């Protein structure tokens, strides 16, 4: 199929830069109402710093990929996620392999509007003995938010993932809640452009995402 990676398209990269540098973006995008909802991934750099699982199993050239940014509540048994009054910000990566097969990875998220105490600064790049296992993240000074873009960052920590084959679930092969891995599964996305229909984000592993708002959500 057609390669949609930004690294292979100077024209798309130029358009991304123009939008990011324009004054048309909605201000304070991470806490703006327009950021909420379902977004379909149009194109991505799919950087080499992404994890091997992400690069091979989550391919935007082959599958429909969505990112949901929603307010949800988690039930007492921590299994069901439903709408409710005691709301928590959740960012979900949804990969549609077919009408009956998908991968959903949920992350607990934090912004100035919905702070999450657990989300302290990430300390590790994620390399294990120099090997890229879970992806290589920016840390320290390289990871500081852009002061010229206030409230543009959404911090997150991956919490749960499942492959769903027509109701039969298989856990995603990363122990997100294991304390040994918890720092490694923290991350962030900086929303560098936001309109009613288009969002550009840059992640902690160097990936650029271009997404379109789904009008017929969920």
């Amino acid at each position: 199929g057609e390669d949609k990676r930004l690294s292979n398209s100077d024209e798309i990269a130029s358009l991304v830069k123009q939008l990011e540098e324009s004054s048309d973006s909605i201000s304070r995008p991470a806490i703006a109402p327009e950021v909420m909802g379902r977004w379909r991934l149009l194109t991505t750099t799919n950087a080499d710093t992404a994890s091997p699982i992400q690069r091979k199993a989550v391919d935007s050239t082959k599958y429909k990929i969505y990112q949901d940014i929603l307010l949800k509540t988690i039930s007492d048994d921590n299994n069901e996620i439903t709408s409710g009054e005691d709301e928590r910000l959740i960012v979900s990566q949804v990969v549609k392999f077919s009408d009956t097969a998908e991968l959903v990875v949920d992350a607990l998220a934090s912004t100035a509007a919905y702070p999450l105490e657990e989300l302290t600064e990430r300390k590790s790049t994620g390399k294990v003995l120099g090997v890229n296992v879970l992806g290589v993240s920016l840390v320290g000074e390289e990871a500081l938010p852009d002061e010229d873009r206030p409230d543009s960052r959404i911090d997150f920590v991956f919490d749960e993932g499942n492959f769903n084959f027509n109701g039969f679930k298989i856990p995603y092969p990363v122990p997100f809640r294991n304390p040994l891995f918890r720092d490694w599964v923290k991350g962030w996305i900086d929303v560098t452009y936001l309109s009613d229909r288009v969002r550009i984000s840059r992640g902690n592993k160097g990936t650029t995402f271009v997404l379109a708002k789904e009008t017929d959500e969920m």
Side-chain angles (χ1 to χ4, degrees), residues 71-75 79-88:
L71 292 174
K72 301 178 180 179
T73 58
I74 299 179
S75 65
N79 290 322
E80 295 293 329
I81 300 181
T82 58
S83 298
E85 296 179 0
D86 187 16
E87 294 173 317
R88 181 180 295 179

Side-chain angles (χ1 to χ4, degrees), residues 62-189:
K62 297 179 181 179
Y63 310 116
K64 292 182 180 179
I65 300 177
Y66 302 93
Q67 190 176 81
D68 298 338
I69 303 178
L70 301 170
L71 292 174
K72 301 178 180 179
T73 58
I74 299 179
S75 65
D76 291 339
D77 59 11
N78 207 31
N79 290 322
E80 295 293 329
I81 300 181
T82 58
S83 298
E85 296 179 0
D86 187 16
E87 294 173 317
R88 181 180 295 179
L89 187 63
I90 304 292
V91 175
S92 302
Q93 181 96 338
V94 182
V95 184
K96 289 280 189 181
F97 302 111
S98 70
D99 290 340
T100 58
E102 66 179 15
L103 166 65
V104 179
V105 180
D106 293 326
L108 308 179
S110 180
T111 64
Y114 295 94
L116 182 64
E117 200 171 305
E118 177 187 355
L119 275 169
T120 55
E121 179 182 351
R122 177 169 172 155
K123 302 298 184 183
S124 170
T125 63
K127 280 190 174 182
V128 180
L129 299 177
V131 178
N132 176 7
V133 177
L134 297 176
V136 182
S137 176
L138 298 173
V139 294
E141 291 187 3
E142 290 184 314
L144 292 175
D146 186 345
E147 294 181 354
D148 295 329
R149 299 180 186 271
D151 288 322
S152 64
R153 177 165 293 188
I154 301 175
D155 292 292
F156 63 83
V157 57
F158 287 114
D159 194 60
E160 184 178 15
N162 289 284
F163 292 94
N164 190 332
F165 299 99
N166 202 24
F168 178 73
K169 292 186 177 182
I170 299 175
Y172 191 67
V174 176
F176 294 124
R177 296 176 183 171
N178 187 312
L180 295 177
F181 290 93
R182 201 61 171 171
D183 184 65
W184 293 350
V185 296
K186 291 178 180 178
W188 42 261
I189 51 174

